[in-house]
Amino acid sequence: MALRLLEDWLAGLVDPDGSAAAVFLEPRGEPALIAAGSVSWRVFKNPLAVYVGGVTSVLLQLAEPRVGSGVWQYTSFRDRPMERLRRTAHAAMLTVFGPRSRAESMIAGVGRLHSRVRGTTGDGRAFRADDAELLEWVHSTACFGFVEAYHAFVAPLAPAERDRFYAESAPVARLYGAIEVPESQAEVAALFERMAAQLQRSDVVFEFLAILGRMPLLPAPLRPVQALLTGAAIALLPPGIRTRLGLDDSRRLQGWQRALVSATGRAADRLVLRSNPAVQACRRLGLADDFLYARR
């Protein structure tokens, strides 16, 4: 019963219109943008790492004023948070696990949407969603969130593996319109240092956290864990940035809470769910369902 509940929940999260099976299973044999043996596939197969890392990345993105007070006003997250979250999750899974032709088509569509989003921030600065610097920030913070969530709460990754994770996604970032993106931990750290002075405490960050707090995101039996996962995402923020955003110590995880999140992350890393795009992508490529889960 519990396994079926998780199967249905994951299917609903990444499959907003009921077409995921066809999207990830067909065409048979067609490779993804990122190889099946990659660190990216290992990280993105884990629902907890994707959830926690996704929240971390959005917090970092919204701290940049052109995203926080600019692009945020064009999102449907405020009014239809579950719908927007499902679309975002589906797009992320398609980028990593989907057949190359479908992923490239989806990315081109996102680029066309971004090209139409322009405006002015609250302090009078012009912005455009397809600005290369913003795309670099969004991509880099997303990578940081996902890989750090997996490293902290699922299984430790060696420095070389974390570097490889960034390098694997760089060609994909360029398809989205980013010109230069970090390809190692050191380059990400340098970007964060360079951007730190631009990041600001914003009501938008707290609005986003409030929406997360009232969303019925997880299945009912797991809903008490949802707040802990948000706390885990905050804990991943670099300390200086966390302070700058006003996310103080009261939001930090206690030791037992961190242990519970880690235990959940490790359990999720062993759970082979047929509705997981990672498993469906393995089937498309003729690999065993447990290809990404088998001990090596």
Side-chain angles (χ1 to χ4, degrees):
M1 180 66 71
L3 186 61
R4 177 59 183 272
L5 182 69
L6 288 171
E7 285 274 13
D8 292 345
W9 167 76
L10 185 59
L13 182 61
V14 302
D15 186 12
D17 60 4
S19 65
V23 167
F24 292 100
L25 288 170
E26 302 290 343
R28 293 285 176 171
E30 183 172 327
L33 291 173
I34 301 176
S38 61
V39 179
S40 297
W41 274 44
R42 196 191 326 168
V43 168
F44 276 91
K45 80 175 186 300
N46 189 291
L48 181 139
V50 171
Y51 177 87
V52 172
V55 174
T56 299
S57 67
V58 172
L59 291 172
L60 287 166
Q61 290 160 18
L62 294 178
E64 210 290 336
R66 289 169 293 175
V67 179
S69 64
V71 176
W72 176 253
Q73 66 185 291
Y74 290 91
T75 183
S76 60
F77 195 90
R78 284 168 163 158
D79 303 320
R80 301 185 301 278
M82 283 300 297
E83 177 186 322
R84 177 55 187 261
L85 183 66
R86 288 189 179 107
R87 290 204 309 270
T88 302
H90 180 73
M93 293 297 106
L94 187 57
T95 299
V96 176
F97 296 117
R100 178 182 295 271
S101 59
R102 292 182 187 272
E104 289 175 340
S105 177
M106 181 271 296
I107 292 170
V110 171
R112 288 191 293 271
L113 288 174
H114 283 170
S115 69
R116 298 197 292 267
V117 177
R118 303 173 185 226
T120 306
T121 65
D123 60 3
R125 284 194 290 170
F127 73 88
R128 44 188 290 176
D130 60 357
D131 179 276
E133 185 180 46
L134 289 187
L135 292 172
E136 178 188 13
W137 179 244
V138 169
H139 170 78
S140 301
T141 52
C143 287
F144 173 85
F146 295 132
V147 76
E148 291 301 322
Y150 191 91
H151 176 73
F153 299 115
V154 181
L157 294 169
E161 291 177 307
R162 290 152 89 183
D163 285 349
R164 192 156 69 247
F165 179 86
Y166 288 113
E168 288 166 355
S169 68
V172 178
R174 296 185 184 103
L175 289 178
Y176 274 102
I179 297 173
E180 294 184 7
V181 293
E183 297 192 29
S184 68
Q185 288 187 88
E187 291 179 6
V188 170
L191 173 65
F192 280 21
E193 184 175 354
R194 191 166 70 248
M195 292 289 291
Q198 294 182 222
L199 306 184
Q200 298 177 3
R201 177 172 179 158
S202 168
D203 290 342
V204 169
V205 169
F206 293 94
E207 182 182 1
F208 169 70
L209 290 172
I211 291 172
L212 280 185
R214 60 179 181 263
M215 281 175 63
L217 178 60
L218 296 179
L222 297 177
R223 209 153 290 155
V225 181
Q226 191 168 317
L228 292 185
L229 298 185
T230 301
I234 293 171
L236 291 178
L237 295 170
I241 294 177
R242 188 168 60 237
T243 299
R244 181 179 284 270
L245 298 186
L247 299 173
D248 56 27
D249 290 348
S250 65
R251 293 177 177 266
R252 288 194 180 184
L253 292 181
Q254 301 297 316
W256 69 269
Q257 294 173 321
R258 180 179 287 272
L260 177 58
V261 174
S262 296
T264 305
R266 290 193 297 271
D269 215 45
R270 298 189 297 270
L271 197 59
V272 183
L273 299 174
R274 290 172 298 173
S275 58
N276 192 327
V279 173
Q280 294 174 349
C282 284
R283 290 183 173 185
R284 186 182 77 247
L285 296 177
L287 303 170
D289 285 4
D290 66 350
F291 171 77
L292 295 170
Y293 302 82
R295 292 181 179 275
R296 287 176 170 78

